[in-house]
């Protein structure tokens, strides 16, 4: 899970072109508790965006927390595999936790592949209409494979990893996301600013 500042966030944010929060900047924003649900292929940039977005929200003095798919599978969802039914259960549990955190007044940033439309619709159904924002972190499969930060695509192509989303397990792109980010053409900083502008503006 992405949460606390690692101590170097201002430098990282400048490197990605994200504006650092100032008193004047904070005054431009008002926020309510909401779930920002990031979906996209592995390697599309969900975790990177989530980390920088959370840092910016914290600098703006907002109470925010991140639920990251990899971290959840090490704890809450460690008993789940990657069958379609297990993927759906992974989403169900995460949505319920996120809903409780939103009820407690937090901005919750969820970073999960969430490959199936039906599961994303279920997640949305657990929130009031103005408390859920589906964010499609979009990059072509070829770009995601080129990035391959964890080497998973390479393993899948070699036959060493089964049920890899985008390779031998399907990904159903959102048809009408609340926000559509193109991380193959837009910089990370610009994407973070789009989220802030869309959700908090």
């Amino acid at each position: 899970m992405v949460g606390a500042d690692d101590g170097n966030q201002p430098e990282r944010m400048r490197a990605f072109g994200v504006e650092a929060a100032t008193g004047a900047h904070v005054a431009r924003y008002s926020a309510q508790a909401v779930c920002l649900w990031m979906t996209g292929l592995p390697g599309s940039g969900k975790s990177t965006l989530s980390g920088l977005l959370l840092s910016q929200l914290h600098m703006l003095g907002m109470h925010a927390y991140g639920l990251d798919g990899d971290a959840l599978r090490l704890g809450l969802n460690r008993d789940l595999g990657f069958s379609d039914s297990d993927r759906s259960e992974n989403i169900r549990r995460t949505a319920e936790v996120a809903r409780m955190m939103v009820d407690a007044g937090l901005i919750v940033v969820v970073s999960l592949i969430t490959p199936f439309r039906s599961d994303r619709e279920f997640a949305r159904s657990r929130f009031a209409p103005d408390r859920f924002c589906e964010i499609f972190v979009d990059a072509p499969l070829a770009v995601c494979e080129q990035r391959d930060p964890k080497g998973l695509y390479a393993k899948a192509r070699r036959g060493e990893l089964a049920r890899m989303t985008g390779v031998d397990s399907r990904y159903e792109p959102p048809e009408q996301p609340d926000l559509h980010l193109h991380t193959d053409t837009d910089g990370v900083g610009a994407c973070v600013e789009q989220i802030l502008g869309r959700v908090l503006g």
Side-chain angles (χ1 to χ4, degrees), residues 41-189:
L41 287 169
S44 60
K46 299 181 298 300
S47 294
T48 298
L49 286 177
S50 175
L52 290 171
L53 174 62
L54 284 162
S55 294
Q56 184 73 336
L57 290 170
H58 294 157
M59 287 183 181
L60 291 168
M62 298 172 186
H63 299 292
Y65 196 81
L67 296 174
D68 180 77
D70 290 341
L72 288 167
R73 281 189 172 275
L74 293 175
L76 178 66
N77 298 331
R78 65 182 177 182
D79 59 320
L80 299 176
F82 292 91
S83 67
D84 288 357
S85 60
D86 278 2
R87 289 177 189 267
S88 294
E89 176 62 12
N90 183 37
I91 299 309
R92 188 194 69 79
R93 295 181 191 179
T94 303
E96 295 297 344
V97 171
R99 181 184 61 81
M100 289 187 286
M101 297 178 83
V102 168
D103 286 348
L106 296 173
I107 297 172
V108 183
V109 182
V110 176
S111 176
L112 283 175
I113 296 169
T114 328
F116 307 136
R117 293 190 187 101
S118 60
D119 292 332
R120 296 194 298 268
E121 290 169 2
F122 169 81
R124 183 185 292 275
S125 75
R126 302 303 297 144
F127 298 83
D130 60 344
R131 301 290 178 162
F132 185 90
C133 180
E134 180 184 67
I135 301 173
F136 182 20
V137 183
D138 190 5
L141 177 61
V143 172
C144 294
E145 287 205 55
Q146 185 178 23
R147 292 171 178 168
D148 202 12
K150 302 172 186 175
L152 299 180
Y153 284 107
K155 288 183 179 179
R157 295 300 186 188
R158 293 195 301 266
E160 300 172 2
L161 180 65
R163 302 195 59 78
M164 173 70 179
T165 303
V167 178
D168 59 353
S169 185
R170 72 187 186 280
Y171 179 80
E172 301 172 349
E175 296 176 327
Q176 292 183 312
D178 298 302
L179 185 60
H180 191 163
L181 304 177
H182 298 272
T183 61
D184 58 323
T185 57
D186 294 336
V188 173

Side-chain angles (χ1 to χ4, degrees), residues 3-68:
D5 186 4
D6 65 5
N8 295 309
Q9 288 302 324
E11 288 74 13
R12 293 183 64 218
M13 291 169 68
R14 283 194 292 271
F16 282 116
V18 181
E19 179 183 356
T22 64
H25 192 184
V26 172
R28 296 209 305 267
Y29 292 98
S30 61
Q32 64 175 356
V34 66
C35 176
L36 308 178
W37 194 289
M38 294 189 186
T39 174
L41 287 169
S44 60
K46 299 181 298 300
S47 294
T48 298
L49 286 177
S50 175
L52 290 171
L53 174 62
L54 284 162
S55 294
Q56 184 73 336
L57 290 170
H58 294 157
M59 287 183 181
L60 291 168
M62 298 172 186
H63 299 292
Y65 196 81
L67 296 174
D68 180 77

